[in-house]
Amino acid sequence: MADDRDRADTTAPTEGEAFLARVPMRDEDGAVREAFIEDVSGSIQRGDAGFLRSLVGELHEADLGDLIEALEPELRLRLIELAGKDFDFSALNEVDESVREEILEELPPQTVAEGVRELESDDAVELLEHLPEESQEEILERLPASERRMIERGLLYPENSAGRRMQTDFISVPPDWTVGQTIDYMRETPDLPERFYELYATDEERRLRGAVSLDALLRARRPVPIAELMDEERRRVRATDDQEEVARLFGKYNLVAAPVVDQDERLVGVITVDDVVDVIEEEAEEDLKALGGVTRDEGLSDTVWTIARGRFPWLFVNMLTACLSAFVISRFENALEKMVALAVLMPVVASMGGNAGTQTMTVAVRALATRELNRGNALRILRRELLVGVLNGLGFAVILGAIAATAFKIADLGAVIGLAMVTVLICAALGGLVIPLTLNRMGVDPAVSSGPFVTTVTDVVGFLSFLGIATLWFGLN
């Protein structure tokens, strides 16, 4: 009977498991349930530390991050305090930067230092990299010397570089070791990385000689030297390489891990595919925000003032371009007074041009980011986009021309808007490609700066072509 009770005790669900079974965290759409948030908030307010420690121990770091964001700001810090050592600080890398900084600034440096010690080196660097230097120093000085030096080295690398993303825990062995020696070493060494996909052969000066995948290692016989298994041409990255370049390397060569070397070819870390997935997501989000005039750091948890301040410059630039368009319209005041139909139809022409320009610009910016668009194929792509502009222009010229002529009972008006439509769509294709290429050649991020220029070109050309052709056609001077 005692044995049966012992077995029952070992299989009994924890308090956190029982709660998650009773109150699922997410609904059918993957959002955090309101009932779940309310129950957790109540536990935090009651100070139920035992339940909260059990709960955070059951949640994945990404789920814990979503829970933190869903809580009221005053409860987030309290949750971490009540969870104590059971709180996984890697969850803070899953929340908005503003939320993370707010929490880290409120927590005692010693508490953050203890949490950082449990993280892999790349997660620790990511957690601390955006804090003020004074806060970083307060936390780092509470770490053991070896761990502090490791994180400090990571923070010295440029932002968005491979050095910031790499893990400094890896397995390296001499190339003259045998498979048997290597396997025994991995079995007997307690402080190996928690997860790894390959190991590396290095010489006495830690220079990378090659890489050995785990499947090759496990299929080889014990007496086989590592030198016979290692891939000397293994793709590698430099610690100073941009993270976008690293992501492209992984995608192009289907890598799951890559060694990171310094300028002297010494092995200093490893980047794995989970880090690269984060980079791809971040860069895609950054480009999408930039195209919409939103700063890369803006998050849903930012304050009204922070968001307004970040969006103001883009809106100001767009105001200036709108003023230029208004100036062009004002030059045709007499024509607009004599033919009201022009005022009704001119927004259609400008809108079509703006949409066509945005389509071409989006494709061009993305192609530049992935290095698919370059000097070698730019002319061919330009010819293609111009032909697309001509075809779409002719198609919409027929459609809008028929609509305009029918609606306003003026046959020539259909011809005028048709000619304007062809003109503006050709210019939209030209501007949507040439402007990003020019900005990229000048060293300016085309994702950030292309929008206002393309909009200006399409609006000005749209108004100028439609009103100009109408003025000449109908003699409205």
Side-chain angles (χ1 to χ4, degrees), residues 112-165:
V112 180
E114 291 172 1
V116 166
R117 291 195 64 186
E118 303 300 321
L119 301 179
E120 293 182 348
S121 58
D122 57 329
D123 290 332
V125 170
E126 183 181 356
L127 188 70
L128 301 178
E129 62 181 347
H130 296 298
L131 290 178
E133 289 188 12
E134 303 78 22
S135 300
Q136 289 181 4
E137 292 174 2
E138 280 189 286
I139 295 167
L140 291 173
E141 68 183 10
R142 289 168 170 79
L143 296 175
S146 59
E147 296 179 20
R148 182 175 65 249
R149 285 195 297 270
M150 178 179 63
I151 296 175
E152 285 175 340
R153 281 199 299 269
L155 291 170
L156 287 175
Y157 289 111
E159 189 175 358
N160 298 325
S161 66
R164 287 284 183 98
R165 289 289 181 177

Side-chain angles (χ1 to χ4, degrees), residues 407-426:
F408 295 97
K409 312 300 183 188
I410 304 174
D412 286 1
L413 188 59
V416 169
I417 196 171
L419 289 172
M421 187 58 61
V422 173
T423 303
V424 73
L425 287 189
I426 291 174

Side-chain angles (χ1 to χ4, degrees), residues 73-206:
E74 63 271 12
L75 298 180
R76 295 165 180 162
L77 191 64
R78 184 66 176 147
L79 169 66
I80 298 172
E81 292 172 344
L82 290 169
K85 293 183 178 180
D86 291 309
F87 181 79
D88 185 356
F89 268 72
S90 62
L92 295 183
N93 285 334
E94 304 293 333
V95 303
D96 283 347
E97 186 177 324
S98 59
V99 174
R100 178 168 61 249
E101 291 180 359
E102 179 183 330
I103 292 173
L104 293 176
E105 288 174 1
E106 294 294 330
L107 285 173
Q110 183 59 40
T111 301
V112 180
E114 291 172 1
V116 166
R117 291 195 64 186
E118 303 300 321
L119 301 179
E120 293 182 348
S121 58
D122 57 329
D123 290 332
V125 170
E126 183 181 356
L127 188 70
L128 301 178
E129 62 181 347
H130 296 298
L131 290 178
E133 289 188 12
E134 303 78 22
S135 300
Q136 289 181 4
E137 292 174 2
E138 280 189 286
I139 295 167
L140 291 173
E141 68 183 10
R142 289 168 170 79
L143 296 175
S146 59
E147 296 179 20
R148 182 175 65 249
R149 285 195 297 270
M150 178 179 63
I151 296 175
E152 285 175 340
R153 281 199 299 269
L155 291 170
L156 287 175
Y157 289 111
E159 189 175 358
N160 298 325
S161 66
R164 287 284 183 98
R165 289 289 181 177
M166 70 182 182
Q167 300 174 24
T168 54
D169 295 328
F170 52 84
I171 301 175
S172 64
V173 298
D176 56 357
W177 273 22
T178 64
V179 169
Q181 284 178 290
T182 304
I183 292 175
D184 292 341
Y185 167 75
M186 291 191 294
R187 286 174 176 168
E188 296 167 3
T189 305
D191 57 347
L192 294 180
E194 291 185 8
R195 183 180 293 109
F196 53 93
Y197 306 96
E198 57 190 20
L199 52 90
Y200 305 101
T202 56
D203 60 21
E204 295 82 359
E205 298 180 356
R206 294 193 298 112

Side-chain angles (χ1 to χ4, degrees), residues 196-198 200 213 234 249-251 253-258 270-276:
F196 53 93
Y197 306 96
E198 57 190 20
Y200 305 101
S213 61
R234 188 73 170 97
L249 184 73
F250 270 67
Y253 297 104
N254 299 321
L255 304 178
V256 294
V270 59
I271 288 184
T272 54
V273 68
D274 58 316
D275 302 314
V276 171

